[in-house]
Amino acid sequence: MSFVIKRFCEWVRARYIAAMLLMGLLTLWTGCGDVFRPVANPIPGVNPDPKNFHFALVASQNAPGNPGSGMQIDVSGDSTVGIVNAGQQPVYGAVLANGSRGFIANNDGTVTAFSPAGFFGSIGSPTTITMPQGLVPTFLQSTEAATMYAATSTNGSGPCPNSAGGEAAVVAISAISDAVKNFACLGNNASAAGLAPVLIAELPNGQKLYTVNGDGSVSTINTINMSLGPLLFGGSTQAAGAASSVDGSQLFVLDKANGAIVSINSFTDAIASTAANAADLQGASFLLLDAHLNRLYAVNPASNKVAIYDASTANASQGLPPRLIRTLTLPPAASNPVMATALNNGTKVYVVSSQAGGSSATAEVTVIRTLDNSISSVISLPSVTPNANVINTCLNAGGVSGVRFPVSITSASNAQRVYVANCFAGSTTAIDTATDRIVVPLKSPVSAFPPAPGSQGPPPQSPVWVVAGP
């Protein structure tokens, strides 16, 4: 009997275990049902990187009484992707270090600010920023992401009068509020144009500005509170260009009077060293730092030469100057060099030259191969007959609000294109850096000038500056 009871109990236990296992499986199945149900989940695509949208900005002048323009060029498409109205008679253009904002300096005492077009939107509506009373912006510069600096001058009354009745100041513009947030008066000078800043160089860390002034002196400005530091140069020296070193430890200044590259210690603002090259640098007017190779290029229209220096040998604390690598004489066809640009990949430097007469204007681009610092080719831009209405403007003559360079040059940040803005031609030429051939001329917006004899419509506006975005 006990045997029967034992077998019965084992049978009940087995059935109980089986039932519990079945209930567990059913519960598990029920709980996992949603996982195996067919569901279509969309797979998002990869958004384009805004850093891959490369562009250039061209500032152009219109007929007097009409707004100028800012034209944005898409590097990859060799096309215009946006145009904004600027103020009266633009003279310069610049872009913030992060490319988020473009600025155009106008001769009417204003700066135009706008957001460049990108992958996610078209070019933004322009904002007009009025300078303090009596100040007219002539140059723009910034190594920062939220502030743009404008060099200003005028002979009118304003907040920074000097002993000769002129004005000289640097204005700090907030890129967040599109408003003037501070300014620094550069002080007195014996001439109205004396301390008028011609250009600005800023250290990479954004802590200090240097201005090259009309009398060849150099002013220093602390960007934290826009206070003035010591006034440098003057007398027998004459600064004509300036560029910060890659690490910001020194400022390289082109002294065109003595034909030298002078290094200034940015911590003490004292002269650290001098690299003399008088025969080739006297009269030089433009200085470029190639940050990729850490080289300096001094452009001299007076001697038709370009002097190349190794900036890596310069040491402010030890008083070591940059080393002269080579001086190149440009071909006669490329005489009167005025400006240079370097590709970000370190392979080439492009020097633009221009010649203008009463009936024609030409421009050439000399290509320097950095591997051996030799001239590899000369690119001739098409000759043009200048619009008679803009000759004085392009030549900065006749009392007209002129431009710093009748032709200007820049290179795209992806090193695929070089752009030459030609004031006389009314267009900007794109050059393919792989072949060093002209790709396409990009006309500026139509001007309000009357049509030239024999033409079908008004001429284009006159480009006064071209700058590349990051």
Side-chain angles (χ1 to χ4, degrees):
M1 187 71 177
S2 61
F3 175 78
V4 173
I5 294 174
K6 182 179 178 181
R7 296 291 297 177
F8 176 78
C9 290
E10 291 176 351
W11 179 83
V12 171
R13 187 182 298 111
R15 293 295 184 272
Y16 176 81
I17 294 173
M20 294 301 294
L21 288 173
L22 179 60
M23 290 178 64
L25 289 173
L26 289 174
T27 302
L28 181 62
W29 177 264
T30 303
C32 297
D34 289 341
V35 175
F36 296 98
R37 183 179 300 162
V39 177
N41 293 318
I43 301 176
V46 178
N47 290 325
D49 185 352
K51 295 179 181 178
N52 291 330
F53 189 87
H54 304 287
F55 67 91
L57 169 65
V58 182
S60 297
Q61 287 194 7
N62 203 342
N66 295 272
S69 65
M71 181 177 75
Q72 184 179 345
I73 299 172
D74 176 16
V75 173
S76 62
D78 292 317
S79 60
T80 300
V81 293
I83 297 173
V84 296
N85 283 336
Q88 298 287 317
Q89 306 305 103
V91 293
Y92 204 80
V95 180
L96 286 177
N98 60 5
S100 63
R101 207 84 172 132
F103 294 83
I104 298 175
N106 308 303
N107 193 52
D108 58 6
T110 66
V111 171
T112 303
F114 61 94
S115 297
F119 281 120
F120 307 111
S122 58
I123 196 167
S125 299
T127 300
T128 300
I129 304 168
T130 302
M131 296 292 96
Q133 176 68 33
L135 298 181
V136 177
T138 57
F139 189 89
L140 300 167
Q141 172 65 23
S142 178
T143 61
E144 303 174 35
T147 304
M148 179 62 67
Y149 297 94
T152 67
S153 63
T154 182
N155 287 327
S157 60
C160 302
N162 65 29
S163 58
E167 306 273 343
V170 172
V171 178
I173 302 170
S174 169
I176 299 174
S177 62
D178 283 340
V180 173
K181 63 180 185 179
N182 206 348
F183 63 90
C185 298
L186 297 188
N188 290 326
N189 192 275
S191 66
L195 287 180
V198 177
L199 62 88
I200 300 173
E202 184 177 12
L203 298 182
N205 61 14
Q207 295 180 359
K208 188 178 288 187
L209 299 173
Y210 293 88
T211 68
V212 173
N213 306 316
D215 64 349
S217 63
V218 175
S219 297
T220 59
I221 301 174
N222 186 334
T223 59
I224 296 177
N225 55 13
M226 297 299 286
S227 61
L228 287 182
L231 184 66
L232 309 173
F233 276 60
S236 62
T237 59
Q238 190 171 13
S244 170
S245 63
V246 174
D247 62 2
S249 65
Q250 54 195 319
L251 181 79
F252 299 112
V253 179
L254 174 60
D255 177 9
K256 70 176 183 179
N258 297 300
I261 302 292
V262 180
S263 302
I264 296 174
N265 188 319
S266 63
F267 300 103
T268 64
D269 288 330
I271 293 179
S273 64
T274 300
N277 187 18
D280 297 316
L281 288 186
Q282 284 183 337
S285 59
F286 184 84
L287 185 66
L288 168 74
L289 174 72
D290 177 357
H292 186 91
L293 296 178
N294 205 4
R295 291 179 184 173
L296 290 165
Y297 294 83
V299 178
N300 192 346
S303 63
N304 198 38
K305 293 181 179 181
V306 176
I308 307 172
Y309 290 82
D310 180 3
S312 67
T313 64
N315 188 299
S317 61
Q318 298 178 12
L320 299 176
R323 177 181 62 87
L324 177 64
I325 298 175
R326 186 175 184 181
T327 299
L328 293 174
T329 300
L330 302 189
S335 61
N336 194 41
V338 293
M339 192 179 172
T341 186
L343 298 186
N344 279 349
N345 59 15
T347 59
K348 299 176 184 178
V349 169
Y350 294 76
V351 182
V352 66
S353 305
S354 68
Q355 305 84 33
S359 59
S360 65
T362 60
E364 298 79 27
V365 177
T366 302
V367 185
I368 299 175
R369 184 172 50 214
T370 59
L371 181 63
D372 56 5
N373 297 302
S374 64
I375 296 174
S376 60
S377 63
V378 175
I379 307 167
S380 295
L381 276 63
S383 176
V384 297
T385 300
N387 175 6
N389 294 306
V390 303
I391 289 179
N392 283 340
T393 295
C394 296
L395 291 177
N396 197 10
V400 181
S401 168
V403 299
R404 188 175 178 208
F405 296 102
V407 294
S408 55
I409 190 169
T410 191
S411 50
S413 56
N414 64 357
Q416 294 180 0
R417 290 289 186 272
V418 161
Y419 295 97
V420 180
N422 190 330
C423 183
F424 302 102
S427 64
T428 300
T429 300
I431 297 174
D432 182 356
T433 59
T435 61
D436 287 334
R437 294 182 178 179
I438 295 173
V439 179
V440 63
L442 298 161
K443 288 289 185 182
S444 293
V446 175
S447 75
F449 282 111
S455 62
Q456 297 181 349
Q461 296 181 30
S462 301
V464 296
W465 192 256
V466 59
V467 61

